[in-house]
Amino acid sequence: MNGKKPPIFGETFNRRFGKSWLVGGYVFLYLPIVALVIYSFNDSPLPTTWGGFTFKWYGKLVNDTEMLSGFWLSLKVAFFTACASVVLGMFAAFTLVKYKRFFGRTMFTGMVNAPLVMPEVIVGLSLLLMLVSVQRWLGFPERGAATIWMGHLLLGLAYATVVIQARLQDLNPQIEEAAMDLGAKPHQVFYLVTMPMIAQALASAWLLTFTLSLDDVVLSAFLSGPGSTTMPLVIFSRARLGLNPSVNAVATVIIFVVSIAVITASYLIARAERQRAKEIAAAQRS
Amino acid sequence: MSANRFVARLRKSKLLSGRSAVIGVPYAWLLVFFLLPFLIVMKISVSEMETVHFKDLLTYKDGLLQLTLKFSNYEFIAEDPLYFKTYLASLKYAAITTVISLLIGYPFSYFMARAKASLQPALLMMVMLPFWTSFLLRVYAWKGLLGENGWVANLLEWLHVDHLLVAAGLIPALGKFMNTPFSLVLGMVYTYLPFMILPLYANLAKMDLRLLEAAADLGATPWTTFWKVTVPLSKAGIIAGSMLVFIPCVGEFVIPELLGGPETLMIGRVLWDEFFGNNDWPMASGVAVVMILLIIVPLAIFNKYQAEAQEAR
């Protein structure tokens, strides 16, 4: 009777409004990043006045030993955090998706998810107090890279599990069952069938936990010992004192490297995915 | 050969099976590194501080086993109005942040989910990308943007938004944006907005649009359809997103430290000062335990919805 009535709110209600809301949101998200990059080339040490174009802050960075040693420590911790997070996260995601019934499942789910939201000061404090208690009792571990790694792994495990779990849930279980029917042992099914299918999620989880670890301040502050200062701790202590142009230069380097890594990785992942889809389609045709 | 028999028996009892290893390894890790530390914090919060370390709860002296529990930390927290005010302020700023994030994030995720299908992966990627770059540095950048003659400060003054903010009590004086409740909330909304957008988008993108068509066929206007169908269907996303923003905001430390002023005291900073400044470990533990009590209800809600989302698929 009333003809065509586009049912979706937002399609009738002004497409332009939706678009400008999205554009506004993205401007909000990217404004600080753009500002950091621009001011890293500012000749004036005052962040609010433009004193001409310069590379001098990058030159100072090369000789900044505190920042550089922090950078190497952060890189090491982040690498091991990412590797361990992906392995443990894969186990945890597998548990949540495949094993619906086991003793203490509710508690397991809670403990995997809680670090996603738990204030970091609480996690950092509690982990440190435990490590101190253990140290009084056994004489180790000394606070340093290893203890920072333990804290980061707790956070990394939670994020890796979410990423891998999302992919595992979308998998068709019939493919694994077929492999099982053809005589593959459980571990063979896992390595030959499941792993390649979730490789994309494993890669994203690795990258995500790597960058999370590279960026963490609070856990690192609680768990680092004398002589183990990570890069975010150096940046944080300088940022606390006020604005510092060298921080802008570090920021620009990090943003540049991370963007290239993420864009390259997502391009490679998308290509591998397309290739796989093509192969599956070809296999189904024949 | 008894060792072999033992292993064989273990195998038989499935303790060594792949299944129990897959469950057991992360489970054991979490018990040792997540649950146990909390129990230790609770223990330390009722122990006495000695010059260097806290005292053991159980002491064995002259053939007597003594248990010393000290609740003075909790009494102190309950009596000192500073702590009460700080806890209240933390909850307030976390709540304000959550509401603003929802008001910005809901339409954002909605329009994202209703954009052209070919465009959506790119839109999602663009929300994720700031997430990959350092959170610390992005918060730091606001210091410059909101500072005197910063881009945003100039824009806000030019728009005369500062009159509005003064009236709302978010900034103390015209033109002063940094180190105020305003800069604190802005920083928290900015940081946690993606945590609101991502679960909402996941929820809205998989919504069955035929339900909306059905509502329209039955005579509902787009607005009614939105309020009566879309919003109730996205309830799980709203709750997940809100909890992902609210709970970490309550204990946030870095953002109040970099963007908040002296009057925006938050509980994360108090805990930090008790620990690193006063070196009072039992007091810091007491502050942490009370903080856990404050977030335990939202935490339970979050876990319930996460578990349901996991079961539903």
Side-chain angles (χ1 to χ4, degrees), chain A residues 7-8, chain B residues 207-217 225 229 233:
Chain A
I8 301 163
Chain B
M207 191 171 284
D208 190 346
L209 295 181
R210 285 172 306 181
L211 293 171
L212 307 185
E213 273 173 49
D217 283 347
T225 316
V229 183
L233 279 177

Side-chain angles (χ1 to χ4, degrees), chain B residues 1 43 74 188 195-196 211 283 304:
Chain B
M1 287 294 111
K43 189 201 108 172
Y74 292 105
M188 297 212 293
F195 289 88
M196 183 65 90
L211 293 171
M283 193 65 201
K304 188 177 150 260

